[in-house]
């Protein structure tokens, strides 16, 4: 319920803002935001509406088919209705679409026609006896606007159809050519350059500009804005003259119209999917913008037979590529510490899908970047994926900034997150680092921890040896210890033949660590041994822990916001991801064994000093039998083990919660018996 109210409010805010931007763009001709911001907000609104269809309002900017009819142009009824297409997003959607058609026309094997979906505006050109007579926008699909004069300025729209033997029939009577009016990317850039040079504001994006241009009342202005028409349909009164979509393209081309050369026909879905994958990569090199592909049943008789549902034909779909820019909200900013002591800020995002995958954090680079873009917690931001794996923040949508919001204070955040460390920002650098040349110190510390007691337990590798290895330049990160060779080590002063062999052997025995130990060893802030065990139990592999969302993590007992964020941030660092790959490549394969043993599901707290073992040893034993070792008494604690010198407050709490209080020998019985 909460979620719905939030989404509703968000959708309303987005709609209001998009309408404002549309107005600035179309009416004032003076946009205040870039095309990325507009696209991002529009994509977010579409996403919310797709997830909560009850939130769609009839006046939502997403519900617009074609464009509103403006005064000043004559209305023209379309002889054949202009349709729109249903969107599909992946292979499963495409398969479901084909299945629906198979149910309607059982036994009919379809050929599929595919083409690039151009991002412009639809227009219909009417030729009478081969002569251009009228151009009509889509309008609401039934009635459009007469934009003949403006379309006449488009250079690649022939005013007379070409004659070619075998195609004479199209030069007699009415031939309707439908297609998309686009502005080529190059023309758009040139135009903007010109505008900047005379001090005029830049246009936001080619699609809006093409649409705005076509509805200019003054054709003089239209001539200054180069447009391009690309045909995708040919309609005759006698529909049998056009047997397939491929034929429509061929005929249109012969008659003198431009058609996309990329259009293809496939006998099966595999071909279609290959086309889709191929163009996902290549579409950015096309001369015009595209937001997907069109897939249709090639045969026109079958196409018609399959009919129309609502505004969409059953026999065609628009395949939409995943958005590469989306908007979302920054929930928090967290500063990660790299292995070299560099403090790197990361934005924790409300999860969104970007370029096909769910993301929940973005890199903020450094303090200056945050300041320059004035990125704040609570802000709505446009995020994008560049070459790297981790998305980045492009800009902040200031209009959606919460009323109470503060500039991000980097130094303050550093000291509250790492009260035990001191930071400095070396002259001329953008990065804050742990004070002193602490790079190696941090590295030494993390190796010591990883190889130390309770983690990898490589006891032949003490503190001094770690220092020697790092100082000799043999170990640059945690994984490097698995690269060490006997020859390298034996050269160091601290080692002789036997000790070097011993160390190599000891390291080799840790190549199949238990998953929880491995997680613990990574040194992720706020993860202690019990959390590591809980994480291992829940996620069962490093790969699924890597993909865990904040919500997934919060569902683990005992994990709160701070720990969850710390984990997500650790896995958002490309150096850390590379480190994991390196471990893997070096043959370090953590394994998970589901908790078995007689203590599964039992929670223990120990208080006081034990006689027969240390607390750590006791905790290890409990865990090895599947039990959970808790730091403090909680509602779900089953046993409080009391040693010597027990504080009374713990006993009282245990009694209040109905926790069983046992002595050390009873614990030993549980473990043994
Ligand atoms: S075919 C009956 N082909 O996308 C199907 N449409 O949502 C007619 N579009 O109204 C459409 N490129 O404005 C087709 N290669 C292409 C297209 C294309 C862009 C637009 C067109 C259409 C809308 C469908």
């Amino acid at each position: 319920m909460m979620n719905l109210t939030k989404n509703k409010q968000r959708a309303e805010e987005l709609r209001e803002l998009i309408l404002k931007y549309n107005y600035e763009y179309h009416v004032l001709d003076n946009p205040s935001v870039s095309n990325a911001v507009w696209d991002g907000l529009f994509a977010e609104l579409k996403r919310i509406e797709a997830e909560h269809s009850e939130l769609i309002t009839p006046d939502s900017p997403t519900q617009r088919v074609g464009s509103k009819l403006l005064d000043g142009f004559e209305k023209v009824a379309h002889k054949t209705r202009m349709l729109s297409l249903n969107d599909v997003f992946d292979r499963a959607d495409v398969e479901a679409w084909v299945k629906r058609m198979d149910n309607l026309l059982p036994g009919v094997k379809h050929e599929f026609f595919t083409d690039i979906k151009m991002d412009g505006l639809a227009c219909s050109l009417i030729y009478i006896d081969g002569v251009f007579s009228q151009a009509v926008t889509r309008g609401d699909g039934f009635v459009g606007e007469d934009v003949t004069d403006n379309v006449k300025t488009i250079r690649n729209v022939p005013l007379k159809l070409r004659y070619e033997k075998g195609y004479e029939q199209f030069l007699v009577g009415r031939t309707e050519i439908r297609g998309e009016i686009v502005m080529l990317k190059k023309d758009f850039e040139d135009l903007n350059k010109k505008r900047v040079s005379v001090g005029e504001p830049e246009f936001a994006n080619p699609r809006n500009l093409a649409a705005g241009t076509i509805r200019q009342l003054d054709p003089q202005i239209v001539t200054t804005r180069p447009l391009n028409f690309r045909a995708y349909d040919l309609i005759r009164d006698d529909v049998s003259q056009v047997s397939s979509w491929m034929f429509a393209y061929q005929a249109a081309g012969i008659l003198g119209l431009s058609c996309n050369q990329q259009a293809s026909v496939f006998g099966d879905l595999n071909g279609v999917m290959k086309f889709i994958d191929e163009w996902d990569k290549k579409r950015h090199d096309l001369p015009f913008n595209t937001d997907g592909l069109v897939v249709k049943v090639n045969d026109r008789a079958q196409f018609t037979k399959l009919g129309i549902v609502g505004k969409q034909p059953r026999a065609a779909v628009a395949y939409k590529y995943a958005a590469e820019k989306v908007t979302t909200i920054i929930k928090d900013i967290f500063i990660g510490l790299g292995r070299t002591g560099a403090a790197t800020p990361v934005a924790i995002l409300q999860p969104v899908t970007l370029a096909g995958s769910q993301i929940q954090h973005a890199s903020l680079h450094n303090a200056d970047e945050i300041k320059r873009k004035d990125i704040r917690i609570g802000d709505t931001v446009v995020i994008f994926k560049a070459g790297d794996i981790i998305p980045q923040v492009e800009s902040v949508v200031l209009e959606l900034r919460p009323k109470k919001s503060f500039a991000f204070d980097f130094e303050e955040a550093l000291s509250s997150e790492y009260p035990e460390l001191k930071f400095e920002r070396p002259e001329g650098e953008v990065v804050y680092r742990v004070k002193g040349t602490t790079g190696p110190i941090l590295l030494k510390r993390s190796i010591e921890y990883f190889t130390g007691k309770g983690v990898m337990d490589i006891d032949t590798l003490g503190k001094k040896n770690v220092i020697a290895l790092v100082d000799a330049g043999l170990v640059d990160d945690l994984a490097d210890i698995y690269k060490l060779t006997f020859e390298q080590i034996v050269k160091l002063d601290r080692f002789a033949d036997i000790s070097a062999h011993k160390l190599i052997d000891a390291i080799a025995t840790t190549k199949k660590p238990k998953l929880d130990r491995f997680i613990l060893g990574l040194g992720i802030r706020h993860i202690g041994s019990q959390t590591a065990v809980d994480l291992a139990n829940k996620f069962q592999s490093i790969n699924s822990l890597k993909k865990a969302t904040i919500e997934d993590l919060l569902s683990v007992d005992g994990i709160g916001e701070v720990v969850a964020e710390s984990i997500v941030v650790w896995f958002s660092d490309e150096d850390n991801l590379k480190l994991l790959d390196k471990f893997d490549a070096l043959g370090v394969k953590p394994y998970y064994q589901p908790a078995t043993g007689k203590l599964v599901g039992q929670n223990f707290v120990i208080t006081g000093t034990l006689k027969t073992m240390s607390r750590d040893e006791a905790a290890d034993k409990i865990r090895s039998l599947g039990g959970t070792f808790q730091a403090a008494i909680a509602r779900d604690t089953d046993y409080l083990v009391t040693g010597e010198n027990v504080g009374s407050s713990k006993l009282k709490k245990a009694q209040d919660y109905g926790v069983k209080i046992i002595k050390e020998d009873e614990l030993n019985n549980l473990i043994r018996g």
Side-chain angles (χ1 to χ4, degrees), residues 120-264:
L121 74 149
C123 191
S124 155
L125 314 179
I126 294 145
Y127 290 86
I128 305 291
D129 293 335
V131 178
F132 175 68
S133 76
Q134 198 173 38
V136 187
T137 63
R138 166 155 57 182
D140 63 4
F142 295 101
V143 177
E145 302 143 335
D146 185 329
V147 288
T148 310
D149 288 340
N150 288 346
V151 169
K152 266 191 186 161
T153 69
I154 302 178
R155 299 237 171 116
N156 74 337
V157 169
L159 297 181
K160 213 169 153 237
L161 295 178
R162 242 182 104 246
Y163 169 86
E164 187 159 317
K165 209 165 161 13
Y167 292 82
E168 305 82 349
Q169 66 273 33
F170 300 110
L171 305 182
V172 181
R174 187 179 188 279
T175 294
E176 181 173 344
I177 305 275
R178 287 180 178 176
E180 198 83 350
I181 295 175
V182 294
M183 185 171 290
L184 303 185
K185 288 191 269 191
K186 169 106 187 32
D187 290 334
F188 178 75
E189 279 159 24
D190 289 349
L191 199 63
N192 263 347
K193 266 188 215 140
K194 265 191 221 148
R195 281 175 74 87
V196 170
S197 72
V198 295
E200 289 179 51
E202 285 184 61
F203 290 120
N205 69 57
R207 183 214 318 122
N208 287 5
L209 181 57
T213 302
I214 269 311
R215 275 190 265 96
Q216 277 286 335
L217 287 172
D218 179 2
Q220 248 353 81
I221 295 181
V222 183
T223 54
T224 66
R225 302 197 186 153
L227 294 171
N228 204 276
F229 179 86
R230 312 187 79 83
Y232 57 67
D233 196 2
L234 191 164
I235 303 173
R236 290 284 293 171
D237 293 343
D238 174 2
V239 292
S240 72
Q241 288 179 356
V242 184
S243 57
S244 69
W245 286 95
M246 204 32 144
F247 178 78
Y249 270 54
Q250 253 163 34
I254 282 169
L255 295 171
L257 288 130
S258 313
C259 292
N260 291 337
Q261 299 306 304
Q262 296 80 10
S264 310

Side-chain angles (χ1 to χ4, degrees), residues 83-85 115-118 122 138 180 232 249 294 296:
L83 301 167
S84 59
L85 298 178
D115 188 17
I116 311 289
K117 186 168 187 297
M118 296 159 279
R138 166 155 57 182
E180 198 83 350
Y232 57 67
Y249 270 54
V294 176
K296 303 185 264 201

Side-chain angles (χ1 to χ4, degrees), residues 256-293:
L257 288 130
S258 313
C259 292
N260 291 337
Q261 299 306 304
Q262 296 80 10
S264 310
V265 172
F266 297 99
D268 63 22
L269 267 191
N270 284 335
V272 174
M273 293 313 299
K274 259 199 213 127
F275 187 85
I276 288 172
D277 292 341
E278 190 185 320
W279 283 103
D280 190 11
K281 293 186 202 89
K282 294 200 298 194
R283 71 197 153 111
H284 300 290
D285 305 330
L286 287 165
F288 45 80
N289 280 339
T290 141
D291 60 350
L293 303 173

